[in-house]
Amino acid sequence: MEKIKSTTVVAIRHNGQTVIGADGQATLGNTVAKSSVKKIRVLQNGRIVTGFAGSTADAFTLLERFEEKLGAFGNNMKRAAVELAKEWRMDRMLSKLEAMMVVADKDDILIISGTGDVIEPDMEIATIGSGSMYAQSAARALKKFAPQLSAEEMVRESLQIAADICIYTNHNLVIEKVKD
C-alpha cells in the first residue's frame, strides 16, 4: 500500500525575521490525495515553528517526539533536535519513519533527518521535500539579488516558483513567522 506523502517546505531567516512556509499538497502515488494539508506547526506560543515533508503519519509521530524532547530539555530547540535525531536513528520503530523536519526559532533553523543528521543550513535557508531544490534555488537567488524583500515574501515567492515547476507542490500555501 502506498503512503500519503507531503512535499515542499521552506524556512528563511532574513533581516532578523524567521519564517517557514509549505504548500498544501499530499500525494498518494501519482494522485493528489488532498490539496490543503497543513504541514506547518506552531509550538511554544509561536517561539518555535516546524515544518515537515514525507509521510504525513510519520511526520506527526516525529512532531510529537520533538515536542516531548522540547519539554525534557527546557525548550532548548537545538538540544531537542539533536536528541530527537539520536533517538530517531537508534529506535527500531522510529528508524522506519519516512519524513524530514525543519525546525526554527528566532536564532536558528535546523533540518532533522532520520539518518541522525541535524543540519544548520547555509545562508539561513532550509528546504525539504520533493520541490525543495526548486524552492532552495529561488530562495538563494532572492536573498542574493532581492535583499529588500522580507523573509515572508522570500518564502512565499520560493514556494510559488517551486509549485510552478514541481508536480508534487501546489499553490495552497501556509506561512508562519517565528515570534521573538
Side-chain angles (χ1 to χ4, degrees), residues 130-142:
S130 60
S132 65
M133 292 300 103
Y134 307 117
Q136 184 175 45
S137 297
R140 290 176 69 109
L142 290 168

Side-chain angles (χ1 to χ4, degrees), residues 133-153:
M133 292 300 103
Y134 307 117
Q136 184 175 45
S137 297
R140 290 176 69 109
L142 290 168
K143 243 188 165 190
K144 184 173 182 178
F145 297 110
Q148 74 280 4
L149 295 178
S150 69
E152 182 175 353
E153 290 169 319

Side-chain angles (χ1 to χ4, degrees), residues 2-177:
E2 292 188 77
K3 290 185 179 184
I4 293 178
K5 295 194 175 186
S6 304
T7 50
T8 308
V9 177
V10 179
I12 297 175
R13 181 167 165 67
H14 182 67
N15 291 336
Q17 186 180 57
T18 305
V19 177
I20 298 182
D23 75 304
Q25 185 166 303
T27 59
L28 182 59
N30 59 2
T31 303
V32 175
K34 185 171 179 166
S35 63
S36 59
V37 176
K38 187 173 182 220
K39 303 171 196 174
I40 304 295
R41 295 291 182 266
V42 176
L43 309 175
Q44 306 298 317
N45 295 316
R47 290 188 309 275
I48 297 175
V49 180
T50 67
F52 62 84
S55 170
T56 304
D58 292 353
F60 282 124
T61 300
L62 292 169
L63 180 62
E64 288 172 10
R65 294 290 178 106
F66 181 67
E67 285 185 282
E68 289 171 10
K69 297 297 182 193
L70 280 172
F73 295 103
N75 297 325
N76 181 326
M77 186 186 77
K78 277 189 175 180
R79 178 77 190 273
V82 168
E83 294 301 322
L84 174 63
K86 286 192 319 192
E87 183 180 351
W88 190 353
R89 184 175 179 163
M90 297 173 75
D91 183 276
R92 251 190 170 158
M93 191 267 307
L94 288 180
S95 68
K96 292 179 176 28
L97 298 182
E98 296 178 13
M100 292 183 77
M101 291 178 63
V102 172
V103 297
D105 63 14
K106 66 182 179 66
D107 299 315
D108 298 297
I109 298 172
L110 304 171
I111 299 171
I112 309 171
S113 79
T115 57
D117 295 317
V118 177
I119 300 164
E120 198 164 356
D122 292 334
M123 295 184 67
E124 297 183 305
I125 298 168
T127 62
I128 58 173
S130 60
S132 65
M133 292 300 103
Y134 307 117
Q136 184 175 45
S137 297
R140 290 176 69 109
L142 290 168
K143 243 188 165 190
K144 184 173 182 178
F145 297 110
Q148 74 280 4
L149 295 178
S150 69
E152 182 175 353
E153 290 169 319
M154 289 180 182
V155 165
R156 184 175 310 282
E157 192 57 32
S158 297
L159 286 166
Q160 294 286 0
I161 290 168
D164 288 343
I165 300 168
C166 178
I167 62 170
Y168 297 108
T169 304
N170 71 16
H171 291 276
N172 295 338
L173 308 181
V174 173
I175 298 174
E176 294 284 349
K177 293 179 193 174

